[in-house]
Amino acid sequence: MKIQQYHRATSLEDAYNVLHAGSNNHILGGALWLKQIAKEIDTAIDLQDLNLHEIEQTETHFIIGSMATLYRLETAQAVNEWCDQLIKNSMQHIMGVAFRNTATIGGSIIGRYAFSDLLGPLLVLNAEVEFYRAGKMTLEAFLNERRMPQDILVAVHIPKERGQSFFKKVSNTRLDFAVLNIAMFKSKKEIRIAFGSRPGVAALAKEAMKIINQTPSWQEQRETLINALLEELKFGNNQRGSEAYRKQLAQTYLIRGIEEVMHNDR
Amino acid sequence: MIVEMTLNHQVKRFDVDHDETLLQTLRKHGVMSVKNGCNASSCGTCTVLVDGKPMLSCSLLTIRLQNKKVVTVEGLQEEVEKIGHYFGLEGADQCGYCNPGVALAIYAMKQSLANPSSEEIKTFLVGNLCRCSGHQAQFKAVKRYLGDPL
Amino acid sequence: MKIVKHEIPSIDGKGIMLGHKAFTDDFAEANSLIVKVLRSPHAFAKIKKINVEKARKLPGVEIVLTHHDVPRKPFTRAGQGYPEPSPHDKFVLDEYVRYVGDEVAAVAAVDEKTADEALKLIEVEYKVFDPVLDFETALHHDSVIHPEEDIHEMFPIGFKPAINQAAAYHMEVEDVEKALKDCEVVLEETFYTQAQAHAMMEPHTVNARLDIHNRLIIYSATQTPFHVRRIISQALSIPISRIRVIKPRVGGGFGGKQALHGEMLVSLVTLRTKKPAKMVYTRKEVFESSYTRHPMRIKVKLGADTTGKLKAIDCHILSDTGAYGEHALTVFMVAGSKVLPMYNKVDAVRFHGEVVYTNKTPAGAYRGYGAIQGNYAVESAIDMLAHQLKIDPIELRKMNMIAENETSPIFAIMGEGTEGTAMNMETCKLDYCVERGKTLIGWDEKYPRVDISDHKIRSVGMAIAMQGSGIPYIDMGAATIKLNDDGFYNLTIGATDIGQGSDTILAQIAAEALMTTVDKVVVYSSDTDLTPFDTGAYASSTTYISGNAVYKAALKMLELLKEAAAKALKVDTASIDFDGELFTSTESETTISLSQLSNRLYYNEDQEQLTATGSYYGTKSPPPFMAGFIEIEIDKETAEIDVLNYVSVVDCGTPINPKLAQGQVEGGIIQGLGMAHFEEVKYSKKGQLVSNDWLNYKIPTSLDVKKLTTEFADSYEESGPYGAKSVGEIGIDTPPAALANAVYNALGVRITSLPITAEKIFKKIQEIKGD
């Protein structure tokens, strides 16, 4: 890895301008994968002076600054109380504490990593991402964007919603990337379900959500539910698992997850 | 570029390249406790404390650490002596390559978690890989260190 | 015993944790040239042209080496005794590259950036060949991996490079085919074991400089400093007296540092430039360009009568040594010789097979060294036979396994590359280990399985294992004890502490014999100039071989001390009693303390340096034994496995340091569980090793195993130091078979290839459902 210039941004505007001043200029997040991802960088832009590492709350939302570390979010009590520990549970087996003390929430989102254990939980929490120029959009919309925006991720907004959560990471060892991860959140209104590491990037299981949210006696609809899931989301092969196995895991934990969030609600 | 930081309680100025990692800077300046295990954020042998938090020096650009406080076991001898004492009693020492990093992680855990459960201890330390041991002796040593009245 | 069998803290653990200079790279000169290697992108190719002019001209580059610039002399990097049982099939650099990651050229530059830059400037034109990637098709493949004519074997090992055969072997006791024909029950199965990576925390590291005598001084992270010295001398044609190899602390080896790595290139750079040089493998190089465990295909046939008496065992193995033949023959032989004698009551036994070259990362020594592969196959097959006969697998083992004072003809037939050594089992507490383990795991309540919820089943499985304690008549160790003024000792040993704690336990042996404490025994080890010879840390030899050498040296020192005390007290030596601190004459009732005597010897009268050296080589290799029991929880739908407990009951003779011995066993268990459950070196279709970092090659963590339960059997091996046998490898052997057996006991599916992943079990269940 080579970095020609280092720029410590004085404002978001400044950072934005430097980012656009050259096609090989990059924003530094935690920079943990930098060596693996970028071989040569013209200007590395550091946002550490822009006060983006705080976690704040309003009446309706938690606002997570993009430079907040994963460990800070994981140990943010208020956030985790609201979401029934979903975020904490999803992050505990990502590498190690030293890693999560450096990795930023912004870096974890902007990379849209297919193996991410965090994107699924944020999806089911209806998180929104806020960019400096492009403004706010849902995380889901961002994950579906085809092009990587040349913009600066400023914050993640998580609506304050009480509910029951379920998270399962299936992996060969506790620290390995997931063969599949499943996140669920049952709010007062609805159950939301996301699958990550399929091996594609995390996505909501909308058809399955529709069925479960519209059918009072979901137990009789297990087959339909599973079929809807398998039809909607693509499960595939990679080094860590096959399509067939992922499909088995998906249906097993779809049902177990629903049972758990339903049960805990009672 | 000059970076000024507090390294093991002393103010130091380092002239570093833009892409130099803290691991490189430290070893270049004779801080030999910090080990290179993977140079890819994955093993924990390069753990240091930055402003009291365990971090991976192989992935920290030194240039970003202006005015930060960096501590390695060289700057935490008394505490590490205690941790080492319990490691000795439990037979937890094997090759020791991971141990300076492990000691810093253990110390940081003691500072940040009050009465951690067994699962919390393991979860906190799991990123510091060890290939020699069965992990159990270290775990017992950590338990004893946490209960250390000193 | 006051020191031995006591839990003495590791003598250097705290110093390492405190951050003092300890490991090879900590001792590199600050101005070392950085040596980097250009590695092959192809699995099999010939270098047609290589142009290094641009690299040489880059400012800061000191030297560039290609196969044109290095001595062409075949050798083996295996790091074994001499003559080696491994083929001499490697050159420092060669015109052929035989796996992705093989060495093409080396550069040395003033810093890392320049070295990396220089590598990019080297232009290579390759002629690419069809690689051999499937070891089952390697024999007689169209591609011949070692076509060069100047390579050779040191003595007959079945080396036939023209057909891609690195080694072969055949032995048979009685007529196996006939014996099997006469058996009422015959079980036949084929097992596959995978390549495993050592994944020690410290990468392979070496540095060199010239001293004022113009000698080459090398620090190396090695398990075999004396072999390293010899091999560098032979491969580079420099007198061995011009080389000194120092092994500082080593950050884990597990066999991976028995063989040589960057020593030749770094030595050449320093010899040619006269400047200090160093090399630290990147983690990618550690995975791709060092060594792995030998993958094997193992065909087992067991013959028995209906009561469960084993009559015959037939074992054929095809082993994959990768691009070079380090340990090709010996690992393969150990798969038989450290497994088959466990069932010593059979009428007939055969062990045979071939070791083949492929265009993959070379295989080499790895803790367990064949035994773990053979153990997985045979101990799985034993359970399968038990199920076929409807006998409890523990009962079947008890009927057939080796017992104290028994022997097996295999000991005499099979050594490591040569003939073996006949021996009786003076200590074999396998029966106790099995019974005790059975109790500790709660076998009777849990076998074969317990349903614990709609989704989960708990089950148990077990296996037994044996290892050795050094290689008889080959492995040797030596120790020198020096008395100092005031009465403390230096213990210098060739033995190689690679983290297993041998410096500590050897100090304990010396202290016990000298009736003193460990702090009075200052240890210095593994320096070819300053310490006596030792073959190194491999083959589970240090406690038994080097430990015996220390013991002998200490006894000699005691004699010297008594003679000196007698002289000082002017009495007959026979009348001297010594308790470690005080010499008392039973003749004159006069006394002199060790401290007084030492000061007298160095400052006052009859001045003399007292030094005693002991050497030892084994005349047998008493095996440690163990029984391993696993309890797992497994998900009926997804086959995800949680390891709840692993019980090890081990007969290693006297554990010199029970806590450190436990650490050896438990470290072995965890590594074995990694191999059993998920570790696997993976290649792309083109032969690129893709599991080349710690994101893609996972090792077990504290969260992956809930509990380890380890006990030692009461056992005293007369031939060992204070009754000790070895304990370094035995722990790794049982987990693969124990896990396979537990999975079968839970779900009724037999997994015959490692690793036993949840997905593999799931697939097997689907197959059975589909049938």
Side-chain angles (χ1 to χ4, degrees):
Chain A
M1 175 195 57
K2 269 190 182 175
I3 297 173
Q4 299 297 345
Q5 294 297 323
Y6 169 76
H7 180 76
R8 216 160 151 142
T10 52
S11 66
L12 283 167
E13 181 65 21
D14 172 43
Y16 186 85
N17 288 339
V18 176
L19 180 64
H20 280 264
S23 62
N24 206 20
N25 296 349
H26 290 269
I27 305 275
L28 294 173
L32 288 148
W33 300 138
L34 196 64
K35 275 181 280 197
Q36 287 90 318
I37 291 167
K39 293 294 166 211
E40 309 230 347
I41 293 173
D42 290 340
T43 301
I45 305 160
D46 194 339
L47 307 180
Q48 67 169 301
D49 294 337
L50 306 187
N51 206 25
L52 297 176
H53 50 270
E54 298 296 338
I55 296 176
E56 288 162 359
Q57 49 179 315
T58 65
E59 286 268 301
T60 57
H61 284 79
F62 288 101
I63 302 165
I64 324 290
S66 62
M67 291 295 279
T69 65
L70 295 188
Y71 193 67
R72 189 172 177 139
L73 179 57
E74 168 187 343
T75 50
Q77 278 195 5
V79 180
N80 279 292
E81 258 167 42
W82 275 87
C83 71
D84 189 26
Q85 309 298 323
L86 177 58
I87 288 181
K88 181 177 175 180
N89 290 339
S90 71
M91 290 206 284
Q92 283 202 326
H93 299 132
I94 300 173
M95 306 301 285
V97 169
F99 184 96
R100 303 200 295 280
N101 264 330
T102 309
T104 59
I105 187 83
S108 305
I109 288 175
I110 205 87
R112 296 194 280 206
Y113 298 112
F115 51 74
S116 171
D117 288 334
L118 183 60
L119 291 176
L122 289 178
L123 277 176
V124 301
L125 293 173
N126 275 347
E128 292 176 304
V129 286
E130 178 192 340
F131 284 92
Y132 174 57
R133 280 289 163 90
K136 275 206 278 188
M137 66 177 89
T138 64
L139 175 63
E140 194 194 2
F142 169 64
L143 294 181
N144 288 330
E145 287 254 330
R146 305 196 78 178
R147 289 184 50 209
M148 178 70 84
Q150 284 297 299
D151 202 342
I152 298 166
L153 180 60
V154 178
V156 181
H157 297 247
I158 302 176
K160 282 182 168 172
E161 239 184 331
R162 299 270 182 199
Q164 284 69 46
S165 77
F166 171 84
F167 182 79
K168 171 73 185 181
K169 168 186 175 182
V170 180
S171 56
N172 289 317
T173 78
R174 295 285 273 278
L175 289 192
D176 197 3
F177 292 143
V179 176
L180 189 72
N181 62 45
I182 304 100
M184 275 185 213
F185 191 73
K186 181 175 179 297
S187 69
K188 290 211 172 66
K189 288 202 321 241
E190 58 180 0
I191 293 182
R192 294 186 290 269
I193 306 167
F195 288 82
S197 219
R198 297 171 288 114
V201 71
L204 289 167
K206 288 187 171 167
E207 292 304 317
M209 281 160 54
K210 218 182 272 171
I211 296 170
I212 185 95
N213 289 323
Q214 289 171 6
T215 319
S217 53
W218 72 276
Q219 256 113 340
E220 289 148 31
Q221 302 283 326
R222 281 179 189 226
E223 288 298 310
T224 328
L225 200 57
I226 289 167
N227 288 340
L229 168 69
L230 298 182
E231 212 151 285
E232 184 184 14
L233 291 185
K234 186 175 167 352
F235 296 89
N237 302 297
N238 72 351
Q239 227 197 91
R240 284 178 173 74
S242 68
E243 180 183 337
Y245 187 52
R246 284 196 163 97
K247 284 182 168 169
Q248 174 66 47
L249 293 173
Q251 47 184 293
T252 296
Y253 286 106
L254 174 69
I255 301 300
R256 287 185 195 173
I258 294 171
E259 277 170 353
E260 191 170 315
V261 292
M262 292 285 194
H263 179 80
N264 289 348
D265 201 16
R266 266 182 254 135
Chain B
M1 193 160 164
I2 303 290
V3 173
E4 189 174 296
M5 65 172 78
T6 309
L7 172 61
N8 293 327
H9 324 297
Q10 288 184 324
V11 177
K12 297 269 182 188
R13 289 162 69 84
F14 297 117
D15 189 0
V16 301
D17 288 343
H18 297 137
D19 38 27
E20 186 169 319
T21 63
L22 181 61
L23 172 64
Q24 290 172 321
T25 309
L26 291 175
R27 287 195 66 86
K28 201 156 69 181
H29 292 88
V31 183
M32 290 299 177
S33 70
V34 188
K35 307 297 183 198
N36 169 11
C38 71
N39 203 24
S41 322
S42 308
C43 77
T45 60
C46 68
T47 302
V48 297
L49 301 181
V50 178
D51 292 345
K53 296 189 185 98
M55 293 194 187
L56 303 167
S57 66
C58 78
S59 297
L60 294 174
L61 296 172
T62 309
I63 210 164
R64 300 181 84 182
L65 300 175
Q66 189 77 32
N67 300 326
K68 302 275 187 196
K69 286 194 180 69
V70 174
V71 171
T72 67
V73 294
E74 282 87 343
L76 202 68
Q77 293 277 296
E78 237 174 83
E79 207 63 32
V80 176
E81 178 94 34
K82 282 186 218 164
I83 298 169
H85 172 71
Y86 291 114
F87 267 58
L89 291 183
E90 290 296 341
D93 297 296
Q94 288 201 34
C95 85
Y97 198 75
C98 62
N99 274 356
V102 167
L104 292 172
I106 292 170
Y107 172 74
M109 177 177 70
K110 193 176 183 179
Q111 303 306 303
S112 63
L113 302 183
N115 302 317
S117 66
S118 299
E119 189 71 13
E120 282 174 316
I121 294 173
K122 287 182 179 177
T123 302
F124 199 97
L125 301 176
V126 71
N128 292 80
L129 301 183
C130 163
R131 185 57 156 172
C132 289
S133 77
H135 304 288
Q136 209 156 253
Q138 281 99 320
F139 178 71
K140 286 180 188 160
V142 170
K143 286 277 236 191
R144 288 178 75 169
Y145 166 69
L146 293 178
D148 190 321
L150 297 172
Chain C
M1 289 180 279
K2 286 185 174 155
I3 307 292
V4 160
K5 220 175 169 178
H6 284 69
E7 294 166 353
I8 309 282
S10 152
I11 57 173
D12 41 22
K14 199 188 272 183
I16 293 172
M17 189 184 273
L18 285 165
H20 305 317
K21 274 166 87 162
F23 297 91
T24 298
D25 194 50
D26 303 348
F27 294 96
E29 310 297 327
N31 60 344
S32 291
L33 296 175
I34 304 298
V35 182
K36 291 255 173 189
V37 177
L38 181 70
R39 298 192 176 276
S40 171
H42 304 294
F44 191 23
K46 189 174 180 177
I47 299 168
K48 278 162 69 182
K49 263 190 217 156
I50 183 161
N51 183 353
V52 299
E53 281 319 302
K54 284 182 196 158
R56 278 201 177 120
K57 282 182 189 148
L58 185 72
V61 171
E62 291 274 342
I63 190 169
V64 181
L65 299 168
T66 72
H67 66 274
H68 298 298
D69 311 303
V70 301
R72 182 165 178 88
K73 208 170 168 190
F75 70 107
T76 175
R77 301 172 298 176
Q80 296 166 302
Y82 189 80
E84 298 101 336
S86 297
H88 281 206
D89 60 2
K90 179 81 175 77
F91 299 90
V92 175
L93 293 169
D94 193 9
E95 60 183 333
Y96 285 93
V97 284
R98 297 182 177 82
Y99 68 99
V100 177
D102 205 353
E103 296 117 336
V104 174
V107 301
V110 289
D111 58 30
E112 201 173 331
K113 268 189 190 170
T114 312
D116 282 332
E117 200 57 42
L119 289 183
K120 287 185 206 152
L121 295 174
I122 298 175
E123 296 159 350
V124 193
E125 206 178 302
Y126 295 98
K127 181 174 193 260
V128 178
F129 304 116
D130 179 26
V132 184
L133 298 174
D134 172 6
F135 77 113
E136 293 188 87
T137 63
L139 278 179
H140 301 284
H141 196 283
D142 288 343
S143 292
V144 176
I145 295 168
H146 284 277
E148 63 277 23
E149 279 171 4
D150 40 355
I151 57 173
H152 57 88
E153 57 195 342
M154 299 299 282
F155 50 85
I157 59 168
F159 179 59
K160 288 184 187 164
I163 59 165
N164 289 331
Q165 179 173 298
Y169 179 79
H170 181 282
M171 80 94 196
E172 188 164 7
V173 178
E174 300 301 330
D175 188 335
V176 167
E177 302 278 353
K178 186 175 171 301
L180 282 169
K181 221 172 265 170
D182 295 341
C183 285
E184 291 162 310
V185 184
V186 174
L187 182 122
E188 192 176 343
E189 189 55 82
T190 302
F191 299 89
Y192 288 85
T193 64
Q194 82 280 35
Q196 183 183 20
H198 303 81
M200 67 294 274
M201 299 309 293
E202 179 202 28
H204 300 71
T205 306
V206 58
N207 50 68
R209 74 284 290 141
L210 297 175
D211 72 358
I212 53 166
H213 307 289
N214 215 28
R215 291 173 79 230
L216 181 66
I217 314 297
I218 298 164
Y219 281 79
S220 175
T222 178
Q223 298 174 225
T224 57
F226 288 88
H227 295 334
V228 168
R229 180 178 66 172
R230 183 195 82 238
I231 292 163
I232 290 174
S233 156
Q234 290 171 344
L236 304 184
S237 299
I238 48 174
I240 192 165
S241 61
R242 307 299 299 163
I243 306 168
R244 174 182 178 189
V245 177
I246 301 165
K247 173 221 68 90
R249 291 296 312 204
V250 171
F254 318 116
K257 292 172 181 167
Q258 178 175 354
L260 281 75
H261 34 95
E263 287 96 338
M264 273 75 62
L265 290 170
V266 168
S267 297
L268 269 180
V269 166
T270 290
L271 289 168
R272 300 255 170 102
T273 64
K274 315 291 180 201
K275 292 181 180 175
K278 76 170 199 175
M279 171 142 76
V280 180
Y281 272 26
T282 62
R283 185 48 60 179
K284 184 166 178 258
E285 285 178 310
V286 175
F287 278 112
E288 276 184 10
S289 303
S290 66
Y291 308 91
T292 71
R293 190 187 292 291
H294 289 79
M296 292 185 186
R297 181 191 70 200
I298 306 170
K299 292 185 176 173
V300 182
K301 277 185 211 169
L302 302 179
D305 66 19
T306 49
T307 69
K309 187 181 177 329
L310 267 182
K311 297 283 197 182
I313 307 178
D314 189 14
C315 186
H316 179 276
I317 296 184
L318 184 72
S319 173
D320 178 358
T321 192
Y324 299 98
E326 289 92 358
H327 301 265
L329 175 67
T330 41
V331 167
F332 154 75
M333 284 182 74
V334 168
S337 66
K338 302 257 192 287
V339 178
L340 300 175
M342 291 198 296
Y343 298 105
N344 63 329
K345 296 170 185 67
V346 294
D347 301 330
V349 55
R350 179 166 66 181
F351 179 82
H352 55 144
E354 301 81 31
V355 188
V356 296
Y357 286 116
T358 58
N359 291 109
K360 293 192 289 189
T361 296
Y366 190 154
R367 191 184 209 173
Y369 200 91
I372 185 171
Q373 291 100 320
N375 194 285
Y376 165 61
V378 169
E379 285 296 279
S380 293
I382 290 283
D383 256 47
M384 293 170 76
L385 180 67
H387 297 309
Q388 200 170 325
L389 292 166
K390 300 196 165 46
I391 299 175
D392 182 298
I394 293 183
E395 294 310 310
L396 183 71
R397 284 183 177 83
K398 279 159 70 177
M399 283 167 69
N400 293 289
M401 70 194 189
I402 195 165
E404 204 152 83
N405 297 317
E406 292 181 356
T407 188
S408 158
I410 294 170
F411 292 127
I413 298 169
M414 295 178 75
E416 289 197 23
T418 54
E419 276 183 15
T421 308
M423 59 179 167
N424 275 326
M425 299 299 96
E426 310 293 340
T427 46
C428 173
K429 309 296 180 194
L430 201 44
D431 48 349
Y432 168 83
C433 296
V434 169
E435 278 306 319
R436 180 67 184 152
K438 195 177 161 186
T439 307
L440 287 172
I441 202 81
W443 184 270
D444 290 336
E445 302 84 67
K446 293 170 186 164
Y447 176 79
R449 82 187 71 81
V450 181
D451 269 293
I452 60 156
S453 75
D454 289 352
H455 307 317
K456 305 267 185 186
I457 300 174
R458 281 190 190 167
S459 74
V460 288
M462 63 88 63
I464 57 173
M466 62 173 279
Q467 269 292 332
S469 300
I471 310 169
Y473 298 102
I474 292 179
D475 289 345
M476 87 80 92
T480 297
I481 296 175
K482 177 173 77 114
L483 176 73
N484 297 294
D485 45 340
D486 202 39
F488 76 101
Y489 307 94
N490 288 112
L491 170 65
T492 56
I493 38 184
T496 314
D497 196 327
I498 52 171
Q500 80 282 46
S502 64
D503 282 356
T504 301
I505 66 112
L506 294 174
Q508 282 180 266
I509 290 170
E512 182 74 41
L514 294 166
M515 296 169 284
T516 185
T517 47
V518 165
D519 59 308
K520 292 277 166 55
V521 179
V522 178
V523 181
Y524 184 71
S525 58
S526 316
D527 178 332
T528 58
D529 269 8
L530 302 183
T531 68
F533 192 87
D534 194 293
T535 39
Y538 57 87
S540 284
S541 58
T542 303
T543 304
Y544 184 74
I545 304 282
S546 312
N548 262 323
V550 171
Y551 181 66
K552 284 173 75 177
L555 293 189
K556 277 191 193 171
M557 175 53 74
L558 283 179
E559 287 312 306
L560 295 177
L561 288 170
K562 283 182 187 172
E563 279 168 29
K567 210 170 179 183
L569 296 175
K570 299 189 172 49
V571 296
D572 191 51
T573 308
S575 80
I576 295 285
D577 275 344
F578 179 50
D579 66 0
E581 280 179 18
L582 196 69
F583 299 89
T584 310
S585 166
T586 51
E587 196 179 295
S588 63
E589 295 192 6
T590 48
T591 62
I592 184 169
S593 73
L594 175 64
S595 170
Q596 287 169 326
L597 178 70
S598 313
N599 289 335
R600 183 179 184 274
L601 278 170
Y602 300 119
Y603 296 114
N604 309 124
E605 282 178 78
D606 303 323
Q607 281 94 329
E608 188 186 359
Q609 172 65 58
L610 298 193
T611 305
T613 295
S615 305
Y616 187 82
Y617 63 93
T619 55
K620 58 179 185 175
S621 178
F625 293 93
M626 79 165 276
F629 293 76
I630 194 170
E631 182 181 1
I632 59 169
E633 189 170 290
I634 189 162
D635 191 298
K636 288 187 221 174
E637 281 176 45
T638 67
E640 289 165 274
I641 294 172
D642 265 333
V643 178
L644 302 180
N645 191 9
Y646 203 99
V647 170
S648 310
V649 185
V650 181
D651 166 13
C652 63
T654 303
I656 301 288
N657 184 322
K659 280 262 159 87
L660 294 184
Q662 187 178 344
Q664 284 303 295
V665 173
E666 292 182 351
I669 294 295
I670 292 274
Q671 252 176 40
L673 276 172
M675 172 154 167
H677 194 6
F678 48 77
E679 287 183 36
E680 187 171 19
V681 173
K682 290 180 181 165
Y683 292 86
S684 71
K685 286 193 178 115
K686 288 187 167 174
Q688 155 113 47
L689 193 155
V690 289
S691 53
N692 61 12
D693 57 30
W694 266 322
L695 297 178
N696 292 296
Y697 191 92
K698 302 309 280 189
I699 60 174
T701 68
S702 56
L703 289 171
D704 293 305
V705 180
K706 297 261 183 318
K707 186 178 169 197
L708 300 173
T709 308
T710 307
E711 284 190 5
F712 294 100
D714 195 13
S715 172
Y716 193 96
E717 168 66 35
E718 279 301 332
S719 69
Y722 295 105
K725 299 190 278 189
S726 80
V727 72
E729 294 182 273
I730 183 77
I732 205 169
D733 295 336
T734 58
L739 179 62
N741 293 338
V743 167
Y744 180 86
N745 292 337
L747 300 171
V749 294
R750 173 60 56 182
I751 305 299
T752 54
S753 69
L754 296 178
I756 303 166
T757 60
E759 169 153 10
K760 212 179 261 180
I761 301 165
F762 165 77
K763 274 188 182 153
K764 192 87 185 183
I765 296 170
Q766 298 303 108
E767 268 173 45
I768 292 170
K769 275 189 192 161
D771 281 347

